[in-house]
Amino acid sequence: TGLSGSIIRALSIDPTNPQIIYAGGGGVFRSTNGGGAWSAINTGLANTDVRALVVDPVNPRTLYAGTEGGGVFSIAFGPALSLYPTSLTVDSTTVGASSQMTIAATNTGTSDLLITGITLSGAEASQFRVSSTTGIVVPGDTKIITVSFMPTSLGPKNASLTIVHNASGSPAVVPLMGKGIQWVAIVS
């Protein structure tokens, strides 16, 4: 199903999973069950007259499609992690108090992003806390990670937030910065 009436000019099989097959002709189609069912995967493909398909031998999550007229397009599969912000500076915070900021972890990929661990490290990691340590982020969705800063002394504090996940580029590291300040009462 999914290829009825399509003229197929190219086939490619994922070298790490023979159940994943790609077909090209009037677009690019993907089967994850050995050809039993197909779905179109033409996102980002400006020319759908596909004449050649190649699965990247180093990263089988990338497929290259060659089209009539010489265009070559890459199509990425699997999860993809996008973080915002990529570094976090927490507001100056009174010693003994707490400030919170958030990091958005968005899955811009095509399959579930598995966050298998979120940890803090560095000499001043004890000055920070993180809200959650694992989770599943479906394609197009966002997980909010809350970082709390609770300084126990004056001055700048630095740590790193490390996110271990199943996408390319794991682990992701987010630098954390904060400053402990003294509370001053002004009497007039």
Side-chain angles (χ1 to χ4, degrees):
T1 60
L3 288 181
S4 299
S6 298
I7 297 173
I8 301 303
R9 294 187 174 99
L11 287 172
S12 189
I13 299 172
D14 185 320
T16 63
N17 183 349
Q19 291 294 305
I20 300 175
I21 305 170
Y22 302 97
V28 177
F29 302 87
R30 182 179 190 218
S31 173
T32 58
N33 63 356
W38 297 86
S39 57
I41 53 168
N42 297 312
T43 303
L45 194 63
N47 180 350
T48 59
D49 190 2
V50 176
R51 301 298 174 110
L53 293 172
V54 176
V55 176
D56 187 319
V58 175
N59 180 7
R61 292 182 177 178
T62 302
L63 176 72
Y64 297 99
T67 61
E68 176 68 25
V72 177
F73 300 89
S74 69
I75 303 168
F77 301 99
L81 175 63
S82 174
L83 294 172
Y84 183 82
T86 56
S87 66
L88 191 62
T89 301
V90 182
D91 296 331
S92 292
T93 304
T94 304
V95 171
S98 163
S99 292
Q100 291 186 338
M101 302 281 288
T102 59
I103 298 170
T106 302
N107 181 358
T108 57
T110 58
S111 64
D112 289 355
L113 173 68
L114 306 176
I115 296 176
T116 56
I118 301 175
T119 58
L120 293 165
S121 62
E124 297 160 322
S126 64
Q127 310 286 310
F128 297 86
R129 299 277 186 273
V130 64
S131 62
S132 62
T133 58
T134 61
I136 297 173
V137 186
V138 299
D141 206 0
T142 299
K143 176 181 180 62
I144 300 298
I145 301 166
T146 303
V147 176
S148 299
F149 176 55
M150 298 168 287
T152 57
S153 61
L154 298 175
K157 312 294 178 196
N158 297 295
S160 294
L161 178 79
T162 300
I163 303 169
V164 178
H165 53 86
N166 66 329
S168 179
S170 181
V173 178
V174 178
L176 304 175
M177 293 147 284
K179 183 176 183 181
I181 60 172
Q182 185 174 12
W183 182 78
V184 178
I186 300 175
V187 180
S188 56

